[in-house]
Amino acid sequence: MKDSLRKHLLQTSSDDELKRWFDPLYFDYSEENKRLTVGFPHTFFAKWFEAEIQDKFEAQLNMFLGSGYLVSYRDVEKPDRATGVQVANVVKRIDFPFGQEFTFETFLINKKNYFPIASAKEVAKQSGSLFNPFIICGPGGSGKTHLLRSVANEISKKHDYSTVFMGSMDELNSLYNIRFKGDRFKARNYLFEYQFLFIDDFHKIREHPHFQQELVNIFNHFYDNKKQMVLACREKVTSYDFLDEALQSRLGWGLIVTLKEPDLEIRVGYIQRQAKAKRLSLNKEQILTLAQRFTDFRYLQGILLKLFAFKELVKQDLSQKDFEHILANTEEKTTDDLTPKKILNVVSDHFSVHVKDLIGTKRHQHIAHARQVAMFLCRQMLNTSYPSLGRAFGGKDHSTVLYSVKKIEQLQEDDFELKQLLKTLKNKCRMS
């Protein structure tokens, strides 16, 4: 088992590094009982390992063994005084129920983000008694979801993961309206059973204004009972002028941190790490090209997956020609900074139609066509739900939006000029 694990670790650590911290370890492994005991050569090594290596080791161990294993640590030189038998002094469940890729170890840090990361680690350690709520802000691709889930995974090492509620703002709203059919008392009592509350995409509370008072009730319960809340959103919540005063006041009781966009150095490091893990050979120029062109980690991950898939399917290393061809045929995705408002402004400018007319009720053919194009672009580029789009376009019924989107979809199939126009408008939206 140790040899197999060592080969796995070579994907992320050099042979010299493993000689320094992995080879001195002693392993007692039981696949049947899903237990692993790790022994240290001496106490000083154990303390150094805990401080410097343990998080990285456990993250990789989970990828190698899978979930649900119990891992214990012991000092080989310190047997139990009464029996003379060496015993484990620390037992941990190695499990990452909220995604094994989401760990503090895999979060690439630059100087701008030291404080948010350090704060997140402290929250995971203290759980409810220090920073509550803990709010992670940042633009798209800055790592909000990664950090949110890293905290949840770390907490799950000490607490049963079933005590952690993890969901987006949309999912929380659906819990109330679909699962519990609008029965707020039942939904609320269901949530109150959890010890930890994690809400991603909190900024989408804008789309559910009726839910704000309910969030105040949820907040009061978790705060009063010292149960940790962690939220993630795009902008600083203090800038949300649409929030209920009671809710905004409570959000200010905790700690708000802001993640900065990953700089070039971080993006290069991310590409190098991903390429090494996938055994994808990229030269320095190719890595730099990817890092300069794509700033969103999620999109970078998609590009690297496409390059990896080519290598696996063709069974050969990427040539420079292959690399350039794949990038040339990859349409850029929108970033999280794109909003319906930006798309409306681009469409308004192109068709010389005022934005208030696009979201209004005028039915002149020119205005109606521009409105349908704007709805189509919002649906395609933002994947916004039809009811939400209806609200963004002045409170229109979702069936109106659905009709408009379907109509433009059908028209572009036979209208080359419209198809080219939509492509041009998409590019303008991304650049705005």
Side-chain angles (χ1 to χ4, degrees), residues 1 26-31 35-39 70 72 74:
M1 177 267 183
Y26 164 80
F27 287 85
D28 184 9
Y29 171 64
S30 172
E31 185 174 4
R35 291 201 64 137
L36 173 68
T37 301
V38 181
L70 283 174
S72 54
R74 74 183 185 199

Side-chain angles (χ1 to χ4, degrees), residues 114-133:
Y114 279 152
F115 178 68
I117 305 303
S119 303
K121 289 181 177 179
E122 198 63 30
V123 168
K125 191 187 305 179
Q126 300 291 332
S127 303
S129 60
L130 192 60
F131 307 127
N132 198 21

Side-chain angles (χ1 to χ4, degrees), residues 233-248:
C233 56
R234 282 188 199 157
E235 307 87 1
K236 287 185 178 179
V237 289
T238 51
S239 69
Y240 290 169
D241 55 6
F242 56 85
L243 282 181
D244 177 89
E245 286 185 12
L247 179 58
Q248 190 162 44

Side-chain angles (χ1 to χ4, degrees), residues 160-287:
D160 192 318
Y161 73 87
S162 65
T163 64
V164 179
F165 177 87
M166 172 68 70
S168 66
M169 192 63 243
D170 286 339
E171 289 168 337
L172 189 61
N173 186 64
S174 296
L175 176 78
Y176 270 70
N177 294 325
I178 297 176
R179 180 169 177 178
F180 290 99
K181 300 177 182 179
D183 190 326
R184 296 198 168 202
F185 293 103
K186 285 186 178 179
R188 193 183 301 164
N189 289 333
Y190 170 80
L191 274 180
F192 289 175
E193 292 295 319
Y194 289 94
Q195 297 300 310
F196 304 91
L197 180 70
F198 286 75
I199 303 177
D200 204 355
D201 294 333
F202 182 75
H203 49 270
K204 289 193 175 181
I205 185 64
R206 182 196 288 268
E207 300 173 17
H208 312 291
H210 60 283
F211 200 70
Q212 292 197 34
Q213 183 55 50
E214 184 59 24
L215 275 175
V216 172
N217 294 325
I218 295 170
F219 185 100
N220 288 343
H221 170 81
F222 278 82
Y223 187 86
D224 292 342
N225 290 280
K226 298 188 183 303
K227 294 157 73 169
Q228 183 69 56
M229 294 173 280
V230 183
L231 315 177
C233 56
R234 282 188 199 157
E235 307 87 1
K236 287 185 178 179
V237 289
T238 51
S239 69
Y240 290 169
D241 55 6
F242 56 85
L243 282 181
D244 177 89
E245 286 185 12
L247 179 58
Q248 190 162 44
S249 172
R250 283 162 172 76
L251 294 174
W253 293 355
L255 176 65
I256 302 172
V257 298
T258 302
L259 287 171
K260 305 299 182 183
E261 286 185 303
D263 55 24
L264 183 64
E265 181 183 354
I266 289 296
R267 297 198 297 274
V268 166
Y270 176 78
I271 295 167
Q272 289 173 330
R273 177 180 287 185
Q274 291 292 315
K276 188 174 182 180
K278 297 180 185 298
R279 300 185 183 278
L280 184 63
S281 297
L282 296 175
N283 60 41
K284 290 182 179 180
E285 185 179 343
Q286 290 171 336
I287 290 173

Side-chain angles (χ1 to χ4, degrees), residues 57-100:
F57 172 69
E58 289 175 356
Q60 290 297 321
L61 195 59
N62 177 257
M63 292 182 184
F64 179 73
L65 294 177
S67 61
Y69 272 82
L70 283 174
V71 174
S72 54
Y73 299 97
R74 74 183 185 199
D75 297 346
V76 174
E77 68 173 20
K78 288 176 65 179
D80 181 81
R81 291 180 180 178
T83 63
V85 177
Q86 280 132 3
V87 295
N89 46 30
V90 179
V91 180
K92 300 177 72 175
R93 180 172 293 278
I94 303 304
D95 212 347
F96 295 88
F98 304 104
Q100 60 184 4

